[in-house]
Amino acid sequence: MHDQMDGERERRLSTRQAAELLGVKPATVYAYVSRGQLTSRRDPVGRGSTFDAAEVEALARRSRREAAAPAGGELAVRTALTLIEPDRYWFRGVDAVELASRYCYEEVAEWLWTGTLPRGVRLTAPAQALAAARRAVAALPEHSGPVDRLRVATVAAAVADPLRFDLSAEAVLGSARCLIPTLVGALPLLGPEPEGDEGPGGAPLAARLWPRLTAQEPDPAALDALDLALALLIDHDLAASTLAVRVAASARANPYAAVSAGLGVLEGPLHGAAGRLAHRTLAEALERGGAAPVVADHLRAGRRVPGLGHRLYEGEDPRATALFARLETMPAAGPALAAAREVVATAAARRVGLHANVDLALAVLTVSCGMSAEAGETVFAVARTAGWMAHALEEYQEHPLRMRPIGHYQGPPPPQPLP
């Protein structure tokens, strides 16, 4: 017992020792305490405070990493989740396309959240949260869009979760595993729900999402393509919606609120609407018997052709390449695949280096399976929720409120007369 107590004392640091380890003044150590970055305990022997050595060392490591961040005003966020290179991308150091091709969406989500790959994992919606989300979504006007429904379902699920303010990793993981199937289950049905919809060993998430995207009966190849699309879209580094999630998590908003922030950004026309525009372009090309007049109309109006180009990749978006390859196994996707290739060829005839992105590949899936133009937006939002949760998990381990850029004031110089 005495040895255990001695070991505990050895792991406590005085204020002076903590300040030396952190490279700050003693007064700054107490400032860390007041901001919740350190916890202190009164020294039963002396008159000062003591600090947990492991906690101080962790804070020192974070401070050193932040000091090494790029200068020049560029916002850089440390992450161990996704790395994007000119022709491929990686999830926790593993080729993301290969991972998504071999594992289902739920398994890839677990890899992103925990760094483990449990086979056959299923995500289950709590009955109370699912009932609340369905009631909230049912109350919306009929013309509501997919992001409208998902945002309302997220708020309803949050209110039904009394533990949502617990930001421990275990609690946030629990929220992630419950929220995603709740969002899917809250969407209105267009076709028959699969048997064994919920619970361990039940239908995979792609099978549960399918009847909420189309009234067509799914075949194995189509479900496989939908699952691949979900897995490929889980995360893509710091897209605008993901950055919004991290800002919310930095302010210690609960994970449901962080996801709501991402959905809010996704509703913007420059982020979430890309899949919808690509779907309509592809559908019009099929209707008009060729891509040339459709591409010409976009260029004549001064618009970029939807589904083409990505600022992070020099060649074709690797997500598009993988999804196109999977869609080739679907006989029903043949006409839409041909139209997509014609869109690329027509637009690239005069502009070198213009390649297909994942929105065009996703449009092939949605057009081929009788889905609406908004279906791609739904797939994207559901898929990306897992990535948002992974980023929230990371951000909760960082300094709170660290994402506070400095505004460059360009207004009239003070003092100005009172209006």
Side-chain angles (χ1 to χ4, degrees):
M1 182 66 178
H2 289 294
D3 291 340
Q4 183 179 350
M5 292 176 64
D6 290 341
E8 185 178 348
R9 288 195 190 101
E10 288 174 4
R11 297 299 297 158
R12 306 295 299 179
L13 300 178
S14 67
T15 304
R16 179 183 58 80
Q17 290 170 325
E20 289 176 355
L21 185 59
L22 291 165
V24 298
K25 297 178 180 179
T28 305
V29 175
Y30 289 105
Y32 287 145
V33 174
S34 67
R35 292 199 293 264
Q37 294 169 265
L38 283 177
T39 53
S40 64
R41 185 192 303 168
R42 296 295 299 174
D43 189 342
V45 179
R47 291 181 298 174
S49 298
T50 64
F51 303 86
D52 183 284
E55 190 177 46
V56 175
E57 289 164 0
L59 178 58
R61 286 193 297 271
R62 290 198 301 268
S63 299
R64 285 194 294 271
R65 290 197 301 266
E66 287 183 355
E74 181 182 351
L75 178 61
V77 178
R78 291 183 304 275
T79 177
L81 299 175
T82 302
L83 171 66
I84 297 177
E85 294 186 335
D87 60 348
R88 63 203 303 189
Y89 69 121
W90 313 78
F91 289 157
R92 291 190 180 273
V94 175
D95 186 289
V97 168
E98 187 175 355
L99 189 71
S101 299
R102 297 189 180 189
Y103 293 87
C104 73
Y105 170 75
E106 296 95 314
E107 292 163 346
V108 177
E110 288 289 341
W111 173 253
L112 211 60
W113 294 335
T114 68
T116 63
L117 271 170
R119 276 295 196 180
V121 64
R122 293 289 181 264
L123 304 179
T124 304
Q128 185 177 1
L130 182 57
R134 282 175 170 167
R135 286 195 300 270
V137 169
L140 290 173
E142 190 174 342
H143 64 266
S144 301
V147 176
D148 297 323
R149 296 188 177 104
L150 293 172
R151 288 171 70 188
V152 166
T154 300
V155 173
V159 175
D161 183 2
L163 304 179
R164 65 187 179 277
F165 299 108
D166 183 351
L167 303 185
S168 65
E170 183 180 2
V172 176
L173 275 170
S175 298
R177 291 170 180 139
C178 293
L179 176 59
I180 295 171
T182 299
L183 295 181
V184 171
L187 294 172
L189 281 165
L190 303 175
E193 202 158 16
E195 295 181 8
D197 187 46
E198 293 287 345
L205 196 86
R208 284 181 260 165
L209 180 60
W210 180 274
R212 290 162 170 89
L213 300 174
T214 178
Q216 286 187 10
E217 282 287 335
D219 60 67
L223 277 179
D224 194 39
L226 176 58
D227 183 78
L228 176 63
L230 288 166
L232 290 168
L233 291 167
I234 276 184
D235 190 44
H236 209 232
D237 196 33
L238 288 176
S241 57
T242 305
L243 180 59
V245 169
R246 292 201 75 130
V247 171
S250 179
R252 296 304 182 257
N254 69 69
Y256 299 90
V259 168
S260 294
L263 287 168
V265 175
L266 198 63
E267 205 165 31
L270 301 181
H271 191 15
R276 183 183 311 194
L277 297 175
H279 176 106
R280 289 174 177 164
T281 298
L282 204 57
E284 187 178 355
L286 287 169
E287 182 182 339
R288 297 174 68 173
V294 180
V295 171
D297 285 349
H298 281 289
L299 298 178
R300 185 177 185 180
R303 299 187 300 262
R304 60 185 295 270
V305 182
L308 300 183
H310 198 292
R311 60 188 292 265
L312 298 181
Y313 297 114
E314 294 177 357
E316 186 171 82
D317 184 336
R319 300 169 297 176
T321 304
L323 191 51
F324 280 143
R326 189 66 59 88
L327 288 165
E328 287 175 357
T329 66
M330 286 176 52
L337 269 171
R341 292 191 180 103
E342 190 182 353
V343 168
V344 175
T346 303
R350 296 291 179 85
R351 183 175 171 184
V352 178
L354 201 60
H355 302 280
N357 61 36
V358 72
D359 297 311
L360 187 62
L362 190 58
V364 173
L365 174 65
T366 56
V367 168
S368 303
C369 298
M371 298 177 186
S372 69
E374 292 76 23
E377 197 171 348
T378 305
V379 173
F380 185 95
V382 169
R384 192 56 58 88
T385 300
W388 292 336
M389 282 292 195
H391 280 273
L393 274 163
E394 273 199 334
E395 192 59 39
Y396 290 141
Q397 307 307 312
E398 298 286 354
H399 289 316
L401 294 173
R402 70 187 180 115
M403 293 191 185
R404 177 62 168 87
I406 299 173
H408 294 285
Y409 179 74
Q410 296 182 347
Q416 294 289 319
L418 190 69

